[in-house]
Amino acid sequence: MKPIYIIEHLEPEIGTWCMCEYERISQLVGKENLWFTNISQPTKELETLGKVLNTSVKDLKLQNACVLDPEAPTLLTPENIKPYQYIIIGGILGDYPPKKRTTKELTQFIPNAKAYNIGKKQFSTDNAVYVVDRIVKGTPFTTIKTKYKISIKVDDIASIDLPYCYPLDATGQPLMSPKLVNYLKTKEGF
Ligand SMILES: C[S@@+](CC[C@H](N)C(=O)[O-])C[C@H]1O[C@@H](n2cnc3c(N)ncnc32)[C@H](O)[C@@H]1O
């Protein structure tokens, strides 16, 4: 049975960056396998991507749940993921250096859910789901090709540095929402 991916939204609002990631997650795992929790102001757009709950996952008291946290000591594997029906991931934007927000704002409040890492480096929420989904489907983390720190060219002069870990596609290109790339290239102030 396919697990349910639960994104516990922990940003003050659902901005464009979050929405680009949430849309890609829905494309990756399907809206029937995706819940967004801790959503104080549901939107029609979010409701097209998955089930939307006002309640925090911390209050759902789920059995058979695990949480993904870069600070967790145990690596997620195709074997240890098998018993879980729910996989909880932080709806937290990347920060550098990492502030350990997943542990402080999520993991410590759901003691029933065992925590796992997918390496020590920080993936975006959508790429964390991509990597976990590959592991669920039987691919060990160590065989997933990644690149740490990428740069997006905005024009002939400027580029944006993203100090996070990116899974690579078959041609060696970092995986990222095309909408997000477009947003980053056109947004003023970077
Ligand atoms: C952009 S990360 C936020 C990380 C945050 N800066 C921190 O230090 O906790 C978004 C979410 O993806 C998941 N994630 C990203 N990288 C991970 C890793 N290496 N191991 C486990 N989970 C990870 C976590 O659930 C995390 O809350």
Side-chain angles (χ1 to χ4, degrees), residues 31 33 62 103 105 113-114 129 133 138 168 173 179 187:
K31 69 172 287 187
N33 303 304
L62 296 169
T103 309
E105 299 178 34
K114 184 169 162 69
V129 170
D133 185 49
L168 302 178
Q173 292 305 304
K179 255 194 192 175
K187 188 180 184 307

Side-chain angles (χ1 to χ4, degrees), residues 68-70 89-90 92-95 98-102 116-119 121-125 128:
L68 268 291
D69 184 338
I89 300 199
I92 300 173
L93 290 173
D95 46 13
K99 296 196 188 93
K100 305 185 183 179
R101 284 183 60 198
T102 310
Y116 294 93
N117 74 64
I118 42 173
K121 297 200 177 82
Q122 188 181 184
F123 289 90
S124 58
T125 302

Side-chain angles (χ1 to χ4, degrees), residues 51-63:
K51 184 169 162 178
V52 177
L53 287 88
N54 188 266
T55 315
S56 164
V57 75
K58 298 164 195 167
D59 300 321
L60 291 179
K61 309 279 180 248
L62 296 169
Q63 303 297 312

Side-chain angles (χ1 to χ4, degrees), residues 128-163:
V129 170
Y130 169 86
V131 169
V132 172
D133 185 49
R134 294 273 313 269
I135 294 170
V136 166
K137 289 172 177 157
T139 307
F141 175 74
T142 47
T143 67
I144 298 173
K145 291 200 172 64
T146 60
K147 182 172 181 187
Y148 177 52
K149 293 187 176 174
I150 64 163
S151 193
I152 294 190
K153 201 168 173 332
V154 175
D155 54 36
D156 286 346
I157 303 161
S159 62
I160 302 162
D161 292 333
L162 296 167

Side-chain angles (χ1 to χ4, degrees), residues 57-104:
V57 75
K58 298 164 195 167
D59 300 321
L60 291 179
K61 309 279 180 248
L62 296 169
Q63 303 297 312
N64 288 340
C66 66
V67 60
L68 268 291
D69 184 338
E71 296 301 311
T74 312
L75 178 70
L76 191 75
T77 68
E79 289 72 38
N80 62 21
I81 189 68
K82 275 185 189 149
Y84 298 106
Q85 194 182 350
Y86 302 99
I87 301 172
I88 303 166
I89 300 199
I92 300 173
L93 290 173
D95 46 13
Y96 188 81
K99 296 196 188 93
K100 305 185 183 179
R101 284 183 60 198
T102 310
T103 309
K104 291 179 195 159

